[in-house]
């Protein structure tokens, strides 16, 4: 892979576990912005190790775990490397997902224009594994709305994030004890200390099997972990904390048909 002693403006952190084909598709999706990126891939113990030979013109640093340790632990391995090198900006993208419309150029420009913002997400397309668009996300965009809505659900969508390395120095890395909701807890912790924003641009294609693809047991486990985050950051002076607990109970009881309707009622921004 192409390497330079000079750091790229952005360290893109990707974890992968048995996702070779999807990882290659993801790497193709960032080609237009590749000169802005040093890509750090943590292969989290894939049965067949990740192969990056198709991308000799990219700056890629590949780290391999001998055993699968989970997404949050693999992310921390990547963050340790990134922080040791001194990058100023860190971006995330999952191996299943794709960047759209020169995402990294736009986020980099946003961060340069808004030095007070330390974490920025974007809107995203939710798509099936076959590429069919399910819906386009609706997000709160400014700091106050994000700060409130985070008590209900994670509105800084993890695969869309770019954040300053100061965030890691101040807030620490991922908390692996939250398992299925580690990204939610990470974003909540950041928003307790720093200003955040969401861009109105749709800059990520996020692959999901849809709600029907998750087993009831797995969905409930995710809901329980998310509720732990809401309770850990519960603010008795913020009505959104109470709304979030109610929303979390709907999730745990698997009343999924009411969840989107409930969020639509609460989201009063376009």
């Amino acid at each position: 892979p192409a390497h330079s002693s000079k750091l790229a403006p952005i360290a893109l952190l990707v974890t992968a576990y048995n996702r070779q084909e999807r990882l290659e598709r993801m790497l193709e999706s960032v080609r237009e912005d590749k000169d802005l990126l040093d890509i750090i891939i943590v292969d989290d113990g894939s049965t067949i190790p990740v192969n990056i030979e198709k991308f000799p013109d990219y700056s890629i640093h590949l780290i391999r775990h001998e055993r699968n340790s989970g997404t949050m632990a693999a992310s921390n391995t990547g963050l340790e490397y990134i922080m040791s090198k001194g990058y100023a900006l860190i971006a995330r993208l999952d191996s299943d997902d794709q960047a759209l419309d020169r995402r990294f150029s736009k986020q980099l420009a946003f961060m340069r224009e808004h030095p007070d913002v330390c974490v920025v997400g974007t809107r995203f397309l939710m798509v099936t594994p076959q590429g069919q668009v399910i819906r386009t996300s609706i997000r709160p965009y400014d700091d106050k709305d994000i700060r409130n809505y985070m008590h209900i659900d994670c509105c800084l969508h993890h695969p869309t994030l770019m954040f300053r390395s100061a965030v890691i120095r101040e807030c620490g890395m991922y908390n692996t004890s939250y398992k299925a909701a580690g990204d939610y807890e990470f974003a909540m912790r950041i928003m307790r200390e720093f200003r955040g924003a969401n861009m109105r641009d749709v800059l990520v294609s996020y692959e999901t099997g849809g709600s029907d693809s998750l087993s009831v047991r797995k969905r409930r486990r995710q809901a329980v972990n998310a509720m732990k985050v809401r309770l850990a950051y519960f603010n008795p002076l913020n009505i959104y904390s109470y709304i979030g607990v109610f929303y979390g109970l709907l999730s745990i009881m698997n009343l999924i048909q009411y969840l989107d309707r409930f969020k639509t009622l609460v989201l009063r921004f376009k």
Side-chain angles (χ1 to χ4, degrees):
H3 286 285
S4 168
S5 58
K6 184 180 178 181
L7 297 180
I10 304 162
L12 172 61
L13 174 56
V14 181
T15 64
Y17 176 62
N18 292 338
R19 287 288 190 272
Q20 181 68 37
E21 288 187 13
R22 285 186 167 94
L23 178 65
E24 291 177 5
R25 184 185 65 182
M26 182 279 293
L27 289 170
E28 282 294 344
S29 78
V30 308
R31 182 171 290 279
E32 285 187 313
D33 280 339
K34 68 181 177 61
D35 293 338
L36 297 175
L37 305 172
D38 286 339
I39 304 172
I40 292 81
I41 299 174
V42 182
D43 178 1
D44 192 24
S46 297
T47 307
I48 300 174
V50 165
N51 187 313
I52 55 172
E53 290 179 357
K54 292 183 180 179
F55 301 92
D57 54 335
Y58 283 50
S59 175
I60 299 176
H61 181 78
L62 181 60
I63 304 170
R64 177 166 169 78
H65 282 181
E66 290 305 315
R67 296 180 181 177
N68 181 256
S69 58
T71 302
M72 295 299 106
S75 295
N76 284 342
T77 296
L79 283 179
E80 288 173 0
Y81 173 83
I82 289 167
M83 296 302 291
S84 74
K85 295 297 181 182
Y87 289 92
L89 289 172
I90 304 166
R92 296 304 314 259
L93 187 61
D94 290 346
S95 54
D96 286 349
D97 305 330
Q98 297 180 68
L100 304 175
D101 199 21
R102 301 212 64 174
R103 167 199 163 179
F104 300 103
S105 296
K106 292 182 177 180
Q107 281 188 299
L108 179 61
F110 183 95
M111 293 296 260
R112 287 173 172 170
E113 291 165 9
H114 300 85
D116 58 321
V117 172
C118 285
V119 57
V120 62
T122 77
R123 295 175 68 200
F124 57 92
L125 295 178
M126 187 175 290
V127 302
T128 66
Q130 294 74 37
Q132 181 179 356
V133 176
I134 300 171
R135 64 174 179 267
T136 304
S137 68
I138 300 174
R139 305 277 92 181
Y141 301 109
D142 65 36
D143 180 76
K144 181 182 177 182
D145 288 338
I146 292 170
R147 200 172 294 279
N148 284 328
Y149 193 79
M150 285 293 293
H151 290 278
I152 301 173
D153 203 7
C154 188
C155 56
L156 286 170
H157 190 58
H158 193 246
T160 75
L161 293 189
M162 180 179 290
F163 48 89
R164 302 187 195 279
S165 57
V167 163
I168 304 300
R169 286 193 294 273
E170 179 71 23
C171 298
M173 298 192 287
Y174 294 92
N175 186 335
T176 57
S177 66
Y178 282 94
K179 301 187 186 300
D183 53 348
Y184 186 8
E185 192 278 334
F186 180 69
M188 186 72 94
R189 191 164 11 116
I190 292 172
M191 288 303 296
R192 191 171 60 177
E193 304 291 340
F194 295 99
R195 289 183 62 82
N198 272 315
M199 297 176 65
R200 294 177 183 270
D201 309 63
V202 179
L203 298 179
V204 170
S205 175
Y206 168 68
E207 184 176 302
T208 177
S211 59
D212 293 339
S213 71
L214 290 179
S215 68
V216 172
R217 181 180 298 177
K218 183 174 181 182
R219 194 181 301 142
R220 182 164 294 158
R221 185 168 67 248
Q222 290 178 338
V224 168
N225 273 273
M227 182 65 101
K228 289 179 180 177
V229 176
R230 295 183 188 98
L231 294 176
Y233 291 88
F234 188 87
N235 179 354
L237 301 179
N238 189 331
I239 191 173
Y240 284 86
S241 279
Y242 297 92
I243 296 170
V245 170
F246 178 67
Y247 175 80
L249 289 173
L250 289 179
S251 301
I252 291 170
M253 291 186 291
N254 199 33
L255 298 174
I256 199 162
Q257 66 270 32
Y258 300 109
L259 296 180
D260 284 341
R261 192 178 308 169
F262 180 77
K263 284 199 288 188
T264 301
L265 288 173
V266 175
L267 268 173
R268 296 179 181 273
F269 7 71
K270 299 292 184 181

